[in-house]
Amino acid sequence: MPGPPKTPTHLALVKGNPSKRAVNKKEPKPPSGVPPIPKHFDKMGKYWFKRIGEELDAVGVMTTLDGKALELLIEAYTEYRQHCDVLAEEGYTYKTVSATGEEIVKAHPAAVMKSDAWKRIRAMLAEFGMTPSSRSKVGAKGPAEADPLEEFLKKRK
């Protein structure tokens, strides 16, 4: 799918619709709230799932359908932390002996896995608007406030 991702309907309505493209009036509007914590998480995963879920819900970004996306973020984060702990204990390199008998310094495998986990974390943080640059691109409902436009339109009917 080429091009930038589609702008959510509520943002298109707020920004205006200069291209005059049809607005999806049947776009799903899942209820806000923190989804249940996955049972397979360890203690650290459960803690971060609950904490970040509540933070996102407080700013109006989290819905009950976002559980899997939040799960991916938390899994990547806990994996990242585990690799950090391993590297702090064992170091970023290790020495081995080649077939010819010379000593070679190699990068620790956990360093590559840590880098991969970091990339996944950054991508998921951006999806939820949790980085300074991505915050402006995510439409947050904010704490359960009534939409003035919807209230006005209801009164007119």
Side-chain angles (χ1 to χ4, degrees):
M1 182 164 77
K6 189 175 183 324
T7 304
T9 302
H10 66 282
L11 282 183
L13 292 172
V14 171
K15 290 180 180 177
N17 193 1
S19 62
K20 305 296 183 216
R21 291 188 181 157
V23 176
N24 183 3
K25 293 180 181 173
K26 296 180 182 179
E27 181 178 310
K29 294 177 183 157
S32 63
V34 181
I37 298 172
K39 294 179 181 176
H40 65 85
F41 274 160
D42 61 4
K43 188 176 181 179
M44 183 169 59
K46 289 177 182 177
Y47 169 79
W48 285 111
F49 190 94
K50 184 175 190 264
R51 179 170 174 193
I52 292 175
E54 288 172 352
E55 289 174 357
L56 290 170
D57 189 41
V59 295
V61 175
M62 180 57 69
T63 71
T64 55
L65 288 182
D66 297 328
K68 293 297 180 198
L70 183 58
E71 182 179 343
L72 292 172
L73 170 61
I74 301 306
E75 283 179 347
Y77 180 72
T78 56
E79 180 184 327
Y80 175 82
R81 292 302 319 151
Q82 290 169 352
H83 295 313
C84 288
D85 294 344
V86 167
L87 292 169
E89 185 179 315
E90 299 176 14
Y92 279 77
T93 60
Y94 67 97
K95 294 179 182 178
T96 186
V97 179
S98 70
T100 60
E102 70 180 287
E103 193 174 88
I104 301 173
V105 177
K106 289 188 171 186
H108 197 291
V112 175
M113 292 185 281
K114 176 185 170 185
S115 175
D116 176 62
W118 171 242
K119 289 174 187 172
R120 290 183 285 135
I121 291 168
R122 274 192 10 209
M124 292 310 297
L125 287 174
E127 288 291 320
F128 285 110
M130 294 178 71
T131 63
S133 63
S134 67
R135 217 173 337 276
S136 65
K137 299 173 188 170
V138 174
K141 292 183 242 171
E145 294 177 11
D147 182 12
L149 177 62
E150 284 186 25
E151 293 294 321
F152 175 75
L153 293 174
K154 284 179 185 176
K155 289 178 184 176
R156 288 188 62 198
K157 288 183 181 180

